Amino acid sequence: MGTSSFLKRAQALLRIRNQLVRECLAELLAVLVLMLITLSGSAQMVTSSGTKGNILTAYLAGALAVMVAIYTAGGVSGAHLNPAFSLALCLLERFPWWKFPIFVAVQTSGAFVSAAAVYALYYDAIRHYGNGTLATSGPWETASIFATYPADYLSLSNGFLDQVMGTGLLIVGILAITDARNKGVPRGLEPVAVALLVLAIEVSVGSNCGCPMNPARDFGPRLFTYVAGWGAEVFRWVKGRG
């Protein structure tokens, strides 16, 4: 009886009643889940030299991570996960503009923390694979575990077009899936449909830039690699590519 009473008091003290705080915490948790799975899929592929994963398994990990993340926070924050999606909702007047910078900050922070967690999880593997160095290019580079880098042949204009089209496909697809006036997805299966959409985009338009589609997903981990020792090259325009 005493234990039950203590737990009830603890729950009452820990309960968060402020709606904005609840939404931010939900969004943070969802991005953490998203990025932990996504980056770990990349880390497993890269550090094993493809023996314990390949580009398809990495894409699959990212798509399934989206599904889990939406289930994690969809009922609280809407599980935006992506500043581009938050912006689209603002433009459609379905999300208040004053919340936009708050959500972007939370999403980017969650991605940064997730990158740190994956680095800790795969620390030995990353160091072993890179022979003790943290490289952004060359045969033993490990920066691509955390952020996306364009192909050597890609121009700035083509890269810009690639991201506009890829992100546009993502936003249009999500809006179509969640539109109640459209041919509906069975209730509760919307995250599965979005995950399949992400997988379809990744396997079709992912070769140019690695298919980031999410500014927070790319910038947060990229900022972490800069801080963790990969250096300023993660932000530099190198050999005609960004």
Side-chain angles (χ1 to χ4, degrees):
M1 191 70 177
T3 303
S4 176
S5 177
F6 172 77
L7 289 175
K8 287 181 179 179
R9 288 198 301 271
Q11 289 173 355
L13 289 172
L14 294 173
R15 184 176 293 117
I16 298 172
R17 293 178 174 82
N18 184 282
Q19 183 60 28
L20 178 60
V21 175
R22 288 167 59 88
E23 290 176 0
C24 288
L25 288 176
E27 195 73 10
L28 180 66
L29 179 60
V31 173
L32 283 170
V33 169
L34 169 69
M35 298 307 298
L36 277 171
I37 298 174
T38 301
L39 298 183
S40 292
S42 296
Q44 183 165 300
M45 174 187 67
V46 171
T47 59
S48 69
S49 299
T51 61
K52 296 181 180 178
N54 52 42
I55 191 64
L56 184 58
T57 63
Y59 283 158
L60 186 59
L64 294 176
V66 170
M67 179 188 71
V68 178
I70 296 174
Y71 277 125
T72 299
V76 181
S77 68
H80 292 195
L81 309 175
N82 187 340
F85 183 65
S86 298
L87 177 61
L89 293 185
C90 288
L91 293 172
L92 294 171
E93 299 183 346
R94 291 166 54 179
F95 188 68
W97 280 101
W98 67 268
K99 282 187 178 181
F100 176 67
I102 299 174
F103 265 48
V104 171
V106 169
Q107 291 158 357
T108 306
S109 298
F112 182 94
V113 173
S114 292
V118 171
Y119 179 61
L121 179 64
Y122 279 92
Y123 179 82
D124 289 343
I126 290 172
R127 290 289 179 172
H128 178 265
Y129 178 80
N131 294 318
T133 63
L134 300 176
T136 58
S137 59
W140 309 115
E141 66 82 19
T142 48
S144 63
I145 291 173
F146 300 93
T148 56
Y149 292 85
D152 291 332
Y153 57 78
L154 199 68
S155 65
L156 176 62
S157 58
N158 201 174
F160 178 78
L161 178 63
D162 178 274
Q163 284 310 287
V164 169
M165 292 185 67
T167 306
L169 279 171
L170 176 68
I171 300 303
V172 169
I174 294 174
L175 292 176
I177 290 169
T178 57
D179 190 348
R181 299 166 298 178
N182 208 344
K183 187 173 183 179
V185 176
R187 186 173 178 82
L189 291 180
E190 295 90 348
V192 178
V194 174
L196 291 173
L197 168 66
V198 171
L199 181 61
I201 295 172
E202 287 178 327
V203 298
S204 59
V205 295
S207 63
N208 283 335
C209 294
C211 214
M213 299 185 294
N214 184 338
R217 176 260 177 272
D218 191 80
F219 180 73
R222 192 183 300 275
L223 181 61
F224 169 77
T225 55
Y226 171 72
V227 173
W230 274 267
E233 192 177 350
V234 300
F235 286 110
R236 286 177 185 162
W237 188 264
V238 180
K239 296 181 181 178
R241 64 189 183 96

